[in-house]
Amino acid sequence: MGRTAPTSVLIVGSGVFGLSTAWALSKRKEFAKTEITVVDDVRGGSFPPADVASVDSSRIIRPDYSDRHYCALASVAQEEWRKQGDDDLGGQGRYSESGLLLMADTPTQVKKGKLSGMDYVKNSWQNVDSIARESGYPPGKIRTLGNKEAIQKFLDAPGCNADWGYINELSGWADAGRGMEWLYKQVKATGRVKFVDAKVEELVTDGKRVVGTRLSSGSILRGELVFVAAGAWTGQLIDVRGRIEATGQAVAYIDITEKELDVLKKQPVALNLSTGLFIIPPQDKVLKVARHAYGYLNPVTVTNALPPSPSHPKQSIVASLPLTSRNGYPNYLPVDADSDLRRGLKELSPISGLETRPWKETRLCWYADTRDGDWLIDYHPGWDGLFVATGGSGHGYKFLPVLGDKIADCILGHGGELGDKWRWKNIPEDGSGKEHNGVYQGLQTDDGSRSCTFGMILQDELAKTKAKL
């Protein structure tokens, strides 16, 4: 069923979901008379805040998905990433088509009905190979590496232990921080969007309708449609327990020499989905290594989250929320992440000894995870006037060129097959994302792309690390 464009939209959050939607709405004729406001807590700095998931030195740009919908959509997004004019998204070094080596280990244990990292990689290879052939690319652009020795030879990395993989020369990576700066400039240039630098404390309701947001100053911003794109902070504003959960993913950087840069910048992105470890080729003398895993949980008491419906009382809940440099994250990683990222440097790089270097910088990148890795883009079923666009699950940024338009379609009720995929789904009452007898039970993302220990509590892991310092 189609919907009429609202007279005003209040967008909470200026990450890739929020900014890309503001951009799309400002260009769509259906929203020509709609007032668009974006509110986020940048504390006098630039939009978006530096600790959102979509801002970093680099993000992988790939259509390499086990899921055919994301594979097809990312292929469309890549057409924009490849445009290299100074004013284009991919220009001025914002996108580099380095290639991607996606690989996995042979699983030691297979859970019935669950995808392993190897399943994900082989499904992804079939999807991208099919799309490449349909698009007329030469077969050699995507080729398999059928054993450990072939992978080690290709990477010139004898420590790599993956058993099977493939190289996709049509994938690459983007400078995510500069890409978001570009997006913000595009939105500002429309003259259609008002930006408000403020912290949103809670959503404001009138009867069964969400009518705005209350800011930390006490003032209220209103919108006919309140659009929450708060990413990993969503759980602070809305009770989404068991549906969306903030997980912290380990990232670290080391200094490298000019000679090492000459070698590493010619490498592809290397990602082992069985370990979650990956390295992205550098543009300057800083190398990033990271881990895409189940991540860390940070359960805290939340007092202002909107309940599931007007019939539910507003009450304190426990939810996992980000801990970043702005609100107390220390300048070190949990010990397991430190050792794992060093293993990534050893296994995925052709240069020996990188794993012994001190970190230049470390951080946690906070995902808004869902159970199946699908995004949540839909009207809230319990409240009128509330639309939610979140659940990026660590793979939203690469869709920057097309994401906002797809969300705009969903707002108008024309989301089609993708809208059905991203709808507000029924979930089992299995205790995920809730506290039981003082023990927090995490939400597990089962899309085949996750690894490492599930359910680690960040503060517990940091305490172990601090004890060793």
Side-chain angles (χ1 to χ4, degrees):
M1 180 185 296
R3 291 175 178 261
T4 303
T7 58
S8 60
V9 177
L10 175 59
I11 299 175
V12 181
S14 62
V16 71
F17 279 75
L19 274 187
S20 65
T21 301
W23 191 32
L25 299 186
S26 70
K27 297 185 294 180
R28 295 279 285 262
K29 63 180 182 180
E30 299 96 329
F31 296 89
K33 296 182 179 180
T34 300
E35 294 181 2
I36 307 166
T37 301
V38 175
V39 57
D40 207 342
D41 180 17
V42 302
R43 305 186 185 186
S46 300
F47 285 87
D51 56 357
V52 301
S54 47
V55 172
D56 195 4
S57 62
S58 52
R59 283 287 182 273
I60 302 173
I61 305 297
R62 60 178 172 95
D64 303 78
Y65 278 91
S66 176
D67 182 286
R68 65 180 181 86
H69 295 91
Y70 294 115
C71 181
L73 188 59
S75 296
V76 175
Q78 273 194 301
E79 295 175 10
E80 293 300 316
W81 282 110
R82 291 188 177 116
K83 294 179 180 178
Q84 296 288 298
D86 285 350
D87 296 329
D88 292 325
L89 172 58
Q92 299 185 340
R94 286 183 288 266
Y95 174 67
S96 301
E97 198 146 286
S98 62
L100 165 68
L101 173 55
L102 193 63
M103 53 192 148
D105 307 341
T106 301
T108 56
Q109 182 179 1
V110 178
K111 295 181 180 179
K112 186 177 180 180
K114 304 291 184 182
L115 289 177
S116 67
M118 184 66 79
D119 292 328
Y120 189 108
V121 172
K122 289 192 173 181
N123 290 344
S124 173
W125 163 64
Q126 291 175 346
N127 285 337
V128 293
D129 186 63
S130 175
I131 286 180
R133 290 175 184 275
E134 292 171 2
S135 301
Y137 288 103
K141 289 288 185 180
I142 300 173
R143 54 194 186 275
T144 60
L145 299 169
N147 54 52
K148 185 180 300 183
E149 292 71 27
I151 293 172
Q152 291 173 342
K153 182 178 179 181
F154 182 85
L155 278 180
D156 191 22
C160 188
N161 293 313
D163 295 308
W164 192 92
Y166 70 91
I167 178 71
N168 182 358
E169 294 182 359
L170 303 173
S171 291
W173 63 277
D175 185 320
R178 292 174 62 200
M180 290 300 289
E181 288 177 7
W182 179 91
L183 178 59
Y184 173 61
K185 289 179 181 178
Q186 306 309 305
V187 178
K188 284 286 287 185
T190 67
R192 292 281 321 280
V193 181
K194 177 183 178 182
F195 285 86
V196 177
D197 176 7
K199 182 180 180 182
V200 174
E201 293 289 351
E202 63 180 331
L203 302 182
V204 177
T205 62
D206 183 1
K208 64 178 184 177
R209 188 172 189 85
V210 175
V211 296
T213 60
R214 190 183 311 278
L215 309 181
S216 57
S217 64
S219 61
I220 295 175
L221 287 178
R222 296 182 180 273
E224 182 183 344
L225 181 66
V226 176
F227 179 101
V228 175
W233 285 264
T234 302
Q236 194 166 25
L237 299 176
I238 305 171
D239 185 349
V240 287
R241 291 175 298 169
R243 189 177 301 278
I244 298 168
E245 185 162 75
T247 65
Q249 311 290 330
V251 184
Y253 310 81
I254 60 168
D255 287 320
I256 57 175
T257 67
E258 192 72 40
K259 185 176 180 180
E260 291 165 342
L261 172 62
D262 289 341
V263 173
L264 292 168
K265 69 183 181 182
K266 298 172 185 175
Q267 293 287 101
V269 176
L271 168 58
N272 185 332
L273 277 183
S274 294
T275 63
L277 296 168
F278 64 93
I279 289 180
I280 295 178
Q283 275 185 335
D284 53 27
K285 292 189 290 183
V286 177
L287 176 64
K288 170 183 170 179
V289 59
R291 185 176 68 182
H292 174 78
Y294 288 117
Y296 301 103
L297 304 171
N298 184 43
V300 297
T301 300
V302 177
T303 58
N304 288 330
L306 190 73
S309 73
S311 63
H312 290 77
K314 196 172 199 178
Q315 58 186 358
S316 295
I317 61 173
V318 175
S320 180
L321 291 178
L323 181 66
T324 74
S325 59
R326 298 203 301 171
N327 62 342
Y329 182 73
N331 60 350
Y332 56 84
L333 289 171
V335 65
D336 81 290
D338 189 291
S339 61
D340 225 14
L341 295 185
R342 294 188 183 282
R343 177 164 66 101
L345 290 171
K346 185 175 183 178
E347 292 184 357
L348 302 176
S349 168
I351 299 173
S352 62
L354 296 181
E355 71 278 7
T356 65
R357 295 190 187 172
W359 299 125
K360 177 184 180 68
E361 180 187 349
T362 62
R363 64 175 287 197
L364 292 182
C365 176
W366 286 92
Y367 292 0
D369 274 339
T370 63
R371 291 171 179 260
D372 52 11
D374 283 340
W375 306 329
L376 174 58
I377 300 173
D378 199 3
Y379 287 90
H380 194 293
W383 293 92
D384 294 338
L386 177 60
F387 193 96
V388 179
T390 187
S393 301
H395 67 106
Y397 179 80
K398 63 181 65 64
F399 298 92
L400 184 156
V402 297
L403 181 57
D405 271 322
K406 296 302 179 183
I407 293 175
D409 289 340
C410 293
I411 292 174
L412 294 172
H414 303 306
E417 195 171 356
L418 287 173
D420 290 339
K421 186 177 184 63
W422 300 331
R423 74 186 189 282
W424 198 280
K425 303 168 186 171
N426 293 324
I427 57 172
E429 290 292 336
D430 58 2
S432 295
K434 297 181 181 180
E435 193 176 47
H436 297 272
N437 298 321
V439 177
Y440 190 79
Q441 182 174 328
L443 177 157
Q444 188 164 337
T445 301
D446 281 323
D447 63 353
S449 75
R450 302 304 175 94
S451 62
C452 302
T453 304
F454 168 69
M456 289 186 291
I457 303 300
L458 178 59
Q459 296 294 353
D460 293 344
E461 299 306 314
L462 288 173
K464 295 176 188 176
T465 307
K466 188 174 182 180
K468 293 188 177 184
L469 294 179

